[in-house]
Amino acid sequence: MKKELEYFTIDGEFGGNQDWFTNVVMHVGGCAAATACDSCIYFARKFGMKSLYPFDTWKLNKEEYKKYSQIMKPYLRPRINGVNKLYLYTDGFREYLKDKQKDGGVCVSAEMKEFSGEHTVTEAKQFVRQQIGKEIPIPYLMLRHKNKEKFEDFIWHWFLVIGYEEKEDGFWIRVATYGEETWLNLEELWNTGEKEKGGMIGYRLENV
């Protein structure tokens, strides 16, 4: 079983990239804001939610993306320990939705599900199936992981899950971050072996 969302590129790179940010604090700690930016671009392109992204979603470029990240910054601002709690993301993104979403029609609900890393991997797989099955990307927060070398780029980091594939060798998720596409084994990723785990966010769409 394989399911992938139709994603976007920006000047030849796969989605947005935190490394583009020239603002120092955003360059270091802007992964939550970048994840929210990419979510909004996806929703604007897929479901016509034009109020979520102030530029042309069909002519994406790095300069406008960087400007957009500064618009998102106050809502998901970098801080000393990062946006290291699921509620910090949902609280911040909820405020952005309230301020920007004026279209009517299909919209992202302010009621988001916080799916803690304390859930079992079986439950995590089902959560991914449900969200991707609805054509909805999933913000994923991973904090610490016992396999630091393998998951170095994903530790203390927000990224987007945009697909999955169930294969004989495991349940794989397709993720977008740092302008790249990566496939990760969810069993290995989810079972961090650490107390500070993170989790996922479940967006919900609704008609208004």
Side-chain angles (χ1 to χ4, degrees):
M1 177 67 180
K2 186 176 184 179
K3 175 74 175 178
E4 298 177 75
L5 303 187
E6 185 177 345
Y7 211 54
F8 56 89
T9 59
I10 302 176
D11 289 348
E13 296 196 35
F14 194 79
N17 189 339
Q18 175 183 345
D19 287 342
W20 300 338
F21 300 156
T22 51
N23 179 275
V24 175
V25 294
M26 286 291 282
H27 183 84
V28 174
C31 57
T35 299
C37 288
D38 284 20
S39 298
C40 289
I41 292 171
Y42 174 86
F43 287 128
R45 288 167 63 100
K46 178 69 177 179
F47 298 107
M49 303 176 196
K50 296 179 181 179
S51 63
L52 297 184
Y53 183 71
F55 307 105
D56 188 341
T57 57
W58 300 102
K59 295 180 180 178
L60 299 168
N61 62 73
K62 292 180 183 179
E63 290 307 310
E64 290 179 345
Y65 185 86
K66 287 190 286 185
K67 292 177 182 177
Y68 183 44
S69 73
Q70 290 299 107
I71 295 173
M72 189 65 74
K73 178 184 174 184
Y75 299 92
L76 288 162
R77 60 180 178 81
R79 55 203 84 191
I80 294 175
N81 292 318
V83 181
N84 64 337
K85 304 292 184 184
L86 298 180
Y87 75 84
L88 293 176
Y89 186 97
T90 56
D91 285 355
F93 194 57
R94 183 177 296 114
E95 290 305 309
Y96 180 80
L97 293 175
K98 289 178 180 178
D99 287 347
K100 304 298 180 182
Q101 193 172 74
K102 309 295 182 184
D103 288 63
V106 178
C107 72
V108 184
S109 172
E111 299 305 314
M112 289 166 270
K113 179 179 176 62
E114 296 170 11
F115 187 87
S116 167
E118 298 295 335
H119 283 85
T120 67
V121 70
T122 299
E123 292 169 327
K125 291 176 186 178
Q126 185 58 21
F127 184 81
V128 170
R129 291 187 193 102
Q130 289 175 347
Q131 293 297 104
I132 299 300
K134 296 174 184 176
E135 302 285 328
I136 300 175
I138 307 165
Y140 191 124
L141 168 65
M142 189 173 78
L143 295 175
R144 304 191 188 280
H145 201 287
K146 61 185 177 182
N147 194 336
K148 296 180 177 66
E149 183 175 353
K150 183 169 186 178
F151 296 113
E152 179 181 4
D153 292 338
F154 298 91
I155 289 175
W156 219 266
H157 188 57
W158 283 93
F159 50 93
L160 268 186
V161 179
I162 54 169
Y164 71 90
E165 183 173 10
E166 300 185 61
K167 304 195 297 185
E168 290 184 2
D169 63 346
F171 189 103
W172 294 79
I173 55 172
R174 182 190 187 212
V175 307
T177 190
Y178 292 120
E180 297 180 350
E181 172 190 20
T182 306
W183 285 89
L184 300 172
N185 185 298
L186 183 61
E187 288 100 333
E188 294 179 1
L189 191 70
W190 193 257
N191 294 320
T192 66
E194 299 282 355
K195 290 184 178 179
E196 295 180 288
K197 299 180 184 300
M200 295 184 281
I201 300 295
Y203 292 135
R204 185 166 63 86
L205 302 187
E206 61 181 18
N207 294 318
V208 298

